[in-house]
Amino acid sequence: MAGRSDSGVGRDDYAWVVWRIKVDDPGRRVASSESSDQGPGLAEQMRQPMTELAASLGCVYLDCCDDDTYENDVQYYAWWIRVPAAEHARLADHGLPVAVHRLHRYLADQLPDLQHWEVAPDRDRTVDHAASSALREDYEDLLAPFECALMPLRRDGAEKLDPRATVWRWEKDLLVGSFDLWLCDDPVQPSSWLVATVGLWTEPQLFDEEPAARHGHFGFTPHQPLLFLPRPQGPSTFTARIQSGAFPGRHASRAPEIDASGAAHQWTANDPIVLADRIAHDVRLLWPHLSGLAGGA
């Protein structure tokens, strides 16, 4: 039977609430992506049907963890679904949102041997999504030209990965985040992507007023493109960087403290459209294999 814990996520607090459906597999009866050599693991098997079912219920399927364990080495699987506020408030008789109950019942039907289910809102992911959405909205003038210029060039499966605005640091009256867009496999760094990141050029003197001046204490790489809420007033210099990045799994994006091994390419401009045009031009020269895809788009 599904249990529900009080996560502190109110029904009227957020436009979207992220729910987690989790089940234990102490006998390791189901093949995970980590242990299976007989084909796709549980996460890959469930991706399409969960995506389609969630969409039919007005929700968004996010991802699945099928390769993790508790400290006692018991395997578990977890799925995350983003539920709009209207569906979050529409409850079935047992107290779960109708859409979440349908998704849980589907998973339980597919995994009848597993009994220990937990269904609950994920407060951290809900808050992160709300903050990331606010970043996206406040920097639309910068992010829209960047996406328009680079998204047609993507390949190697990167075109299936959504660009992500991610909040990394929380301070009183200040959020610090980044915006990443995956381009393609890194041709010189195995098991890595080329990842483009865009934001503000973070020269210390540009942010010498509170609260943005505190960004220097967060441990970010110097000149890493960053986004701030509230957005600094006055003229801005924008920057973008392309470098190797890890495959985006359960986490929203790359950790800011992880630097790429190898070369990084960076551009700056005072106009977001000029910046986007420069990057798109240079990307075609640096990685010519992307130009063929663009030409056929």
Side-chain angles (χ1 to χ4, degrees):
M1 188 68 180
R4 183 178 171 199
S5 63
D6 180 9
S7 71
V9 178
R11 298 197 178 278
D12 300 320
D13 293 341
Y14 301 97
W16 295 84
V17 176
V18 177
W19 280 76
R20 184 188 65 195
I21 303 173
K22 185 170 73 168
V23 65
D24 297 345
D25 185 8
R28 295 181 180 261
R29 300 184 181 187
V30 181
S32 70
S33 60
E34 185 178 63
S35 62
S36 175
D37 56 2
Q38 303 298 319
L42 183 64
E44 188 60 33
Q45 293 175 35
M46 293 291 195
R47 185 187 311 278
Q48 182 172 346
M50 283 292 287
T51 299
E52 293 174 354
L53 179 56
S56 74
L57 297 168
C59 305
V60 178
Y61 173 67
L62 298 176
D63 56 29
C64 169
C65 167
D66 70 349
D67 58 359
D68 209 348
T69 63
Y70 299 110
E71 291 183 358
N72 60 3
D73 203 38
V74 170
Q75 183 95 33
Y76 70 86
Y77 316 112
W79 294 262
W80 285 268
I81 302 96
R82 198 167 72 233
V83 180
E87 287 299 324
H88 180 64
R90 193 165 70 93
L91 303 182
D93 293 340
H94 40 65
L96 291 175
V98 173
V100 174
H101 175 65
R102 287 273 306 276
L103 289 158
H104 167 240
R105 288 316 314 161
Y106 170 77
L107 290 170
D109 288 344
Q110 303 305 306
L111 303 169
D113 293 336
L114 305 184
Q115 303 300 320
H116 302 289
W117 291 87
E118 177 187 334
V119 185
D122 187 319
R123 178 172 179 79
D124 288 345
R125 286 204 176 201
T126 298
V127 173
D128 284 347
H129 177 263
S132 296
S133 296
L135 272 181
R136 172 74 200 226
E137 181 177 350
D138 225 42
Y139 287 90
E140 186 68 16
D141 62 318
L142 170 62
L143 304 184
F146 184 71
E147 287 182 303
C148 184
L150 292 187
M151 288 183 73
L153 303 178
R154 303 193 301 164
R155 60 178 298 172
D156 301 332
E159 66 277 8
K160 299 178 182 178
L161 302 174
D162 291 334
R164 297 176 185 176
T166 306
V167 174
W168 290 111
R169 295 290 184 268
W170 303 72
E171 290 276 310
K172 180 177 172 57
D173 303 321
L174 176 66
L175 301 180
V176 184
S178 62
F179 183 84
D180 293 327
L181 184 148
W182 286 265
L183 283 175
C184 62
D185 289 335
D186 186 339
V188 298
Q189 184 75 14
S191 303
S192 294
W193 297 97
L194 288 177
V195 185
T197 303
V198 67
L200 300 177
W201 176 259
T202 53
E203 282 283 5
Q205 63 266 29
L206 297 179
F207 301 102
D208 57 0
E209 296 181 3
E210 291 290 337
R214 297 200 298 274
H215 85 281
H217 303 293
F218 292 148
F220 288 96
T221 302
H223 307 310
Q224 178 174 343
L226 295 177
L227 303 175
F228 297 90
L229 282 181
R231 183 169 173 170
Q233 298 295 315
S236 298
T237 299
F238 303 104
T239 187
R241 179 185 293 177
I242 296 179
Q243 62 189 97
S244 293
F247 185 89
R250 297 189 302 277
H251 303 290
S253 189
R254 296 171 300 127
E257 64 273 12
I258 297 178
D259 292 328
S261 57
H265 305 270
Q266 190 151 352
W267 299 259
T268 60
N270 293 325
D271 185 310
I273 296 176
V274 170
L275 178 65
D277 289 344
R278 286 178 182 169
I279 298 168
H281 174 269
D282 290 352
V283 160
R284 291 179 172 91
L285 298 178
L286 290 165
W287 299 284
H289 67 292
L290 298 182
S291 298
L293 185 64

